[in-house]
Each structure stands twice: as structure tokens, then as C-alpha cells.
């Protein structure tokens, strides 16, 4: 047996034992990807609060349209909306990581 085919055969041999659990393994993979994505979103909410609520920079155009409909120019409403979104994001992240 050559050295290049040994890892491939070892991987296929290992994966053959996992066939009955394909669905569960895919679910775990999707949950792990969601956990990473939600973890990456958490600092962005703080950035948005600092940049667009506290400093008062204008909100970028792709997001400004629907965000304007939510807060209607009131920074306090925008802050409360972002805090609620941050709490919801944290709850969903904790549920998925559990």
C-alpha cells in the first residue's frame, strides 16, 4: 500500500462508521457554523451603538432605510432597539451553543 492512499483509505474507513449518524453530524456542523457566525456578530452591535448612536455618524445607506423606519430619527429608540437586538442575539447564541 502506498503512503498517499493510506490516509484516504483511513478517512473512508472512519467515515463508514459515521454513515448511520449523517443527519446528526450535519446538524452538529450547522449548529457549530451558526455559533461561530453569531459569535462574530456580537462585537458589531457594540460598534453600531458607538458609531451611530453615541458618536452620531450617519448610518450607511443600505441599512439606513429599514433602520430609519424603526427608530424614526430618535437616537434613544435606536439605542433601545440595538440593546434588545443584542440581548436576543446573546440568547440565541447561548441556546445554539448549548
Amino acid at each position: 500500500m502506498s503512503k498517499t492512499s493510506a490516509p484516504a483509505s483511513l478517512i473512508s474507513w472512519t467515515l463508514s462508521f459515521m454513515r448511520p449518524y449523517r443527519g446528526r453530524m450535519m446538524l452538529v456542523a450547522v449548529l457549530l457554523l451558526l455559533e461561530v457566525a453569531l459569535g462574530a456578530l456580537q462585537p458589531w452591535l457594540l460598534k453600531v451603538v458607538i458609531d451611530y448612536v453615541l458618536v452620531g455618524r450617519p448610518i450607511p445607506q443600505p441599512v439606513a432605510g429599514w433602520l430609519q423606519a424603526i427608530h424614526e430619527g430618535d437616537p434613544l429608540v435606536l439605542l433601545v432597539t440595538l440593546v434588545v437586538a443584542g440581548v436576543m442575539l446573546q440568547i440565541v447564541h447561548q441556546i445554539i451553543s448549548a
Side-chain angles (χ1 to χ4, degrees):
M1 183 183 290
S2 69
K3 288 185 179 184
T4 58
S5 67
S9 66
L10 180 61
I11 291 173
S12 64
W13 177 76
T14 305
L15 290 177
S16 70
F17 289 104
M18 298 173 83
R19 271 195 198 102
Y21 308 103
R22 277 189 304 241
R24 293 178 186 167
M25 294 301 290
M26 287 302 293
L27 178 64
V28 168
V30 168
L31 288 175
L32 284 173
L33 288 174
L34 279 173
E35 183 182 4
V36 169
L38 290 173
L41 282 177
Q42 288 175 348
W44 283 94
L45 280 174
L46 183 60
K47 178 197 181 320
V48 169
V49 167
I50 291 172
D51 286 350
Y52 305 122
V53 176
L54 299 177
V55 175
R57 291 185 187 161
I59 300 170
Q61 192 51 43
V63 181
W66 63 269
L67 204 53
Q68 182 69 24
I70 293 173
H71 70 85
E72 298 175 352
D74 187 9
L76 182 62
V77 174
L78 178 61
L79 179 63
V80 170
T81 303
L82 292 173
V83 167
V84 169
V87 169
M88 295 301 291
L89 179 69
Q90 185 66 31
I91 290 170
V92 171
H93 184 253
Q94 291 300 317
I95 289 171
I96 287 177
S97 66

